[in-house]
Amino acid sequence: MTSLFHHRTTCRLCGSSQVEIFVPLNPIPLTSPNIGMTDELRSRGDTEVMVPVDVWVCHDCGHIQLLDVIDSAIQYNNFLYTTSISLGLAEHFGALAREVIERAGLKAGDLVVEVGSNDGTLLRFFKDAGMVVLGIDPARETARRATEAGIETIGDFFTGALGRQLRETRGAAKVIISNNTFANLDDCDDVTQGIVALLAADGLFVFETSYGADVIEKGLLDTIYHEHLSYFTVRPLERFFRRHGMEMFDVERIWTKGGSIRGFVQHKEAGRPILPGVAELIAHETALGLDRRPIYQAFSDRIEVARAKLEDQIAEAAKTGRPLAAYGASVGSVTLIHQFDLSRRLAFIADDKPLGEALAGPTYRIPIVASPALYDQNPALVVILAWRYAEPIMAKHRAFTEKGGVFAMPLPL
């Protein structure tokens, strides 16, 4: 029987043991809306297991990370989330594909590999442009469905060994992409060795990931959960890739997840010039003081202010005698529910595309229902956990507020 989770004691980018908690947070359940429940998980009672989600910072390289790691097979083999349910993401991927095709000078027949390809939404843009595509994703059922839909997908984890095997059997990849996957890895070294082995001499490794500077500066609390083991910034990443014989030669800030970066990496010998964006973001991170405690203390202080404000709103709503509800049942919602002490107080969670029937943890089970429940159950207050979509949510349910219902938003901090 596998261990449910473990605590590592070293930085996953540089291996230093000089790591320290800079943002202490309440633990959250091992299970999440993205984890498909199996008979084994149910029999082991894993909805009762709470796992720390404290944010650690490495004093040697500055990497921001979680050090409590859920077993990857539990986390991803029955992963439920698919790219197609996220509003605007397909359009974003189309624009990314066009940029990568131009930057890499891709032509028909070139091999494009995506690590963490999910349902193949991104790879389809490359396939339609004439490239040969291969997805790799450990969510076995999602991988099977993607293959049936015409995007060949290996249902497994990408490793150094798999990268070397694919180089021998498929040839070199002109482009390897990792979209919101690189931050989910505990063993970044092994995966990077696989990328080094598989990537053509003049190839591009392109990744998108939540930007650690934005997470801390903007208070993006709902991006902190066990899938996201790393909150990357450019300075430690640039050093990490150099150690593997690679070079981050460009980086862009993008809008996804409230603030992300898109990095472009090559073999050192590839010869593309290092563009100003790399040094500019390193300077930005230095100016913010991401290697020092004050900015993290300010983040923690903003959480406390948001808690107090929401408590006041809940107390006012309680005077009506009507229930308390929330809107948005994503994995990030689980973090917010536990940081704002909502787990035993919510009558239900409304969601437009629910992945399950309930959010469950020790001592609670919150039903997830379709949004018409706002009118059927008439809560006095609805906490919008899916705060990035607050505007369309409130526009869609104007009738709810017109009848006296109130929406509350704990984020952004």
Side-chain angles (χ1 to χ4, degrees):
M1 184 177 289
T2 58
S3 174
L4 299 177
F5 71 98
H6 70 276
H7 178 79
R8 65 176 296 152
T9 58
T10 58
C11 172
R12 66 175 45 85
L13 281 193
C14 75
S16 171
S17 61
Q18 300 303 305
V19 289
E20 182 181 354
I21 295 176
F22 271 20
V23 183
L25 294 171
N26 296 330
I28 64 176
L30 178 142
T31 53
S32 81
N34 287 348
I35 296 177
M37 291 298 291
T38 63
D39 290 340
E40 181 191 356
L41 287 174
R42 291 188 185 91
S43 67
R44 293 170 66 177
D46 290 348
T47 57
E48 304 300 313
V49 176
M50 301 291 282
V51 182
V53 72
D54 301 312
V55 178
W56 299 68
V57 176
C58 175
H59 286 293
D60 283 343
C61 78
H63 183 45
I64 307 165
Q65 59 203 295
L66 306 187
L67 293 182
D68 293 280
V69 184
I70 293 174
D71 176 74
S72 57
I74 292 173
Q75 188 95 57
Y76 295 112
N77 282 354
N78 295 285
F79 201 61
L80 295 178
Y81 168 84
T82 56
T83 300
S84 56
I85 72 171
S86 290
L87 190 66
L89 199 54
E91 293 80 2
H92 171 73
F93 282 173
L96 168 61
R98 290 189 292 274
E99 178 178 356
V100 171
I101 288 169
E102 182 178 350
R103 278 203 180 219
L106 290 178
K107 60 184 184 301
D110 284 340
L111 176 61
V112 177
V113 174
E114 185 178 6
V115 176
S117 54
N118 198 264
D119 61 9
T121 298
L122 173 56
L123 285 178
R124 189 166 298 283
F125 289 103
F126 289 98
K127 183 174 181 178
D128 289 347
M131 283 90 236
V132 175
V133 301
L134 177 64
I136 301 158
D137 198 289
R140 293 167 295 195
E141 180 60 20
T142 301
R144 184 190 64 78
R145 290 198 303 266
T147 299
E148 287 184 350
I151 304 298
E152 182 186 0
T153 305
I154 297 172
D156 205 348
F157 292 96
F158 184 79
T159 62
L162 181 55
R164 291 186 290 272
Q165 176 190 332
L166 291 174
R167 179 60 179 260
E168 293 177 2
T169 58
R170 305 291 184 109
K174 289 286 286 187
V175 168
I176 301 175
I177 299 182
S178 172
N179 261 28
N180 298 308
T181 297
F182 205 61
N184 299 27
L185 306 172
D186 186 31
D187 192 344
C188 294
D189 286 306
D190 183 52
V191 170
T192 302
Q193 288 165 12
I195 291 167
V196 170
L198 181 57
L199 190 65
D202 62 345
L204 289 184
F205 171 52
V206 183
F207 68 90
E208 289 187 2
T209 187
S210 181
Y211 187 31
D214 281 334
V215 171
I216 302 303
E217 187 179 21
K218 296 179 181 178
L220 303 179
L221 179 60
D222 63 326
T223 67
I224 299 175
Y225 47 84
H226 298 122
E227 288 172 30
H228 296 164
L229 295 173
S230 291
Y231 303 84
F232 287 122
T233 53
V234 176
R235 185 169 69 94
L237 265 180
E238 190 271 342
R239 174 178 166 182
F240 170 79
F241 284 123
R242 263 194 288 121
R243 183 162 59 83
H244 284 277
M246 302 187 79
E247 197 170 58
M248 186 188 297
F249 68 91
D250 196 13
V251 62
E252 305 168 347
R253 295 182 78 168
I254 56 177
W255 64 269
T256 53
K257 294 188 176 293
S260 297
I261 51 174
R262 178 182 295 161
F264 297 86
V265 183
Q266 64 184 354
H267 293 293
K268 281 184 180 177
E269 301 79 15
R272 297 180 186 87
I274 297 177
L275 298 178
V278 176
E280 288 169 1
L281 281 188
I282 290 174
H284 171 66
E285 294 159 11
T286 302
L288 286 177
L290 289 175
D291 58 344
R292 300 189 300 276
R293 183 175 288 279
I295 191 171
Y296 299 93
Q297 184 60 55
F299 180 27
S300 297
D301 291 345
R302 296 206 304 279
I303 294 172
E304 291 303 323
V305 169
R307 280 181 181 139
K309 179 181 177 181
L310 185 59
E311 282 297 326
D312 288 344
Q313 292 175 295
I314 291 172
E316 188 65 27
K319 295 175 183 177
T320 69
R322 288 151 53 199
L324 173 69
Y327 206 114
S330 70
V331 60
S333 300
V334 177
T335 296
L336 299 184
I337 285 168
H338 284 271
Q339 305 318 312
F340 293 109
D341 191 28
L342 299 174
S343 61
R344 292 187 294 266
R345 303 157 89 175
L346 295 175
F348 65 91
I349 301 172
D351 196 279
D352 294 324
K353 297 179 180 178
L355 289 176
E357 296 179 352
L359 285 184
T363 73
Y364 71 88
R365 188 179 188 277
I366 310 168
I368 301 172
V369 298
S371 58
L374 297 183
Y375 307 95
D376 300 335
Q377 301 194 36
N378 193 29
L381 183 71
V382 175
V383 182
I384 300 182
L385 304 176
W387 64 275
R388 292 176 183 81
Y389 306 105
E391 188 173 328
I393 287 170
M394 290 189 288
K396 180 178 179 179
H397 297 291
R398 193 169 286 113
F400 171 71
T401 54
E402 288 172 351
K403 292 181 178 179
V406 177
F407 286 112
M409 286 206 313
L411 294 187
L413 297 178

